[in-house]
Amino acid sequence: MHELFTQTKLTKKGVAKNSGFLDWNTQPTRFKRYPEFSFRYTKETLGEYAWLLSLREITDTHLIAKKPYHRLNTPSAGNLHPIEIYLQIRNIKGILSGIYHLDVAHQELVLIRDIEKDGIESYVGIENRFRGILIVTSLVPFRSFWKYGLRSWRYLYLDAGHQMATMYALLQSHKQSPTILSDFDSKALNDLMGFEDKEFTCKVIALGTSSEKPVETISSPLMHVLPTDYSEPMEILNAQLASESKISNTVIAMPECIRMDLIPSLMRSRRSAREFSSLSLQKAQIEQFMNIFNQSDSIQATVIMMRGEDYESGIYKENQLVRRGFFTSECSDLLVGQRFISFAALVVALHVKLPDNRAHIEAGIVSQWIYLFAQDNGIGCSGIGAYYDDALRSFLDIDDEIVYVIALGAQ
């Protein structure tokens, strides 16, 4: 069992004990900003590569308590956005070869360092100069830790999974062939990128081909810029993230039921549902959802069916009804009293034998596919990371550990 996963299980007593006032005025900044003197590309100056800015972008902003509330094209637990993206670009017409930061708040590519014979290739397991784009995704733990404490370890990797699926889908929609890299030392890459102990490399994607020209190692770390306006000690979480230097390159293929031509618009319009209409979902739609959940070899799905056409209400395992009942109030209570859940059509618990970082990333990927299919079909979808772990396991009568819950329903 993963130690940090076990330590961060929720119980009713623990939630009651730790619940208190959260001052949103103290929330750390959610978007990293490099100095104003840095060279920048905007959507207009990127030309045919303007789509790179959509890998992670703000799709809606409104005010809550006189403060901007940003929604992105990828979900985030608590709207905290603990992800940053960097790109090494080489031999792309119209773009200076260099290492860039994707400035989400301003929708710009910011040049951190130009490159010629050198680059990050040797840090990500590539021997020669790479012609194309290397995309580095990092986690900024304090943005989540500020609200969730150590349980943020789970949400960081769930968010990373959502982000990986988002990028994978968008890249494919732009006729790119992404390759997920895994054979590298993330600690060395962290040091090179100037992350210190404030960010941690999570995933690297390659778009392009390796040349026959040798690449030189960058001799000194890149500019260090804090990803938040302040931070606090979080030794246990940092130590765990630092120890997870090898992350699998497994990617769960995008389901065929998601229409490729609609991916950009689906990403921009995606929202997490916070209410359902209590109407039933069609049988064909539910079957499509089940097919998506079953795409992962390591993740299992147990379904609490409440409002499904031609489905009897109850708990389903491997598409078979194992316990009859209309469990709306139980669902709401077990998901930490979130009352809107009681109007959902179905609630799906994703569970695994080993709840490590890979399992959480895969759960995020699968859930992002669910979000996209739901959005295309006008169905409400909500990813839920807060639940009473062992109480929910007991209720569902499963031995695995639950890593994520998805609620789906009519709107």
Side-chain angles (χ1 to χ4, degrees), residues 129-181:
R129 290 181 222 172
F130 189 81
R131 294 189 298 247
I133 303 173
L134 296 171
I135 306 174
V136 178
T137 302
S138 75
L139 303 175
V140 182
F142 185 60
R143 291 181 190 160
S144 288
F145 183 85
W146 170 79
K147 181 178 181 180
Y148 296 116
L150 287 178
R151 192 173 171 94
S152 61
W153 173 83
R154 304 179 181 211
Y155 303 145
L156 288 166
Y157 286 117
L158 287 171
D159 279 7
H162 281 290
Q163 180 63 63
M164 290 302 299
T166 296
M167 291 195 296
Y168 197 76
L170 284 168
L171 291 171
Q172 286 192 313
S173 74
H174 286 281
K175 297 180 171 46
Q176 301 292 316
S177 299
T179 299
I180 312 299
L181 305 181

Side-chain angles (χ1 to χ4, degrees), residues 260-304:
M260 186 74 71
D261 60 318
L262 294 182
I263 285 174
S265 61
L266 292 175
M267 293 291 186
R268 286 191 294 270
S269 58
R270 181 217 59 80
R271 296 288 179 266
S272 293
R274 286 296 174 262
E275 61 180 17
F276 299 108
S277 70
S278 75
L279 298 176
S280 296
L281 292 187
Q282 297 175 10
K283 183 179 180 180
Q285 294 171 330
I286 294 174
E287 289 176 347
Q288 285 281 27
F289 285 126
M290 294 304 102
N291 289 336
I292 297 173
F293 284 123
N294 291 332
Q295 282 195 236
S296 171
D297 293 332
S298 59
I299 296 176
Q300 303 299 315
T302 294
V303 179
I304 304 173

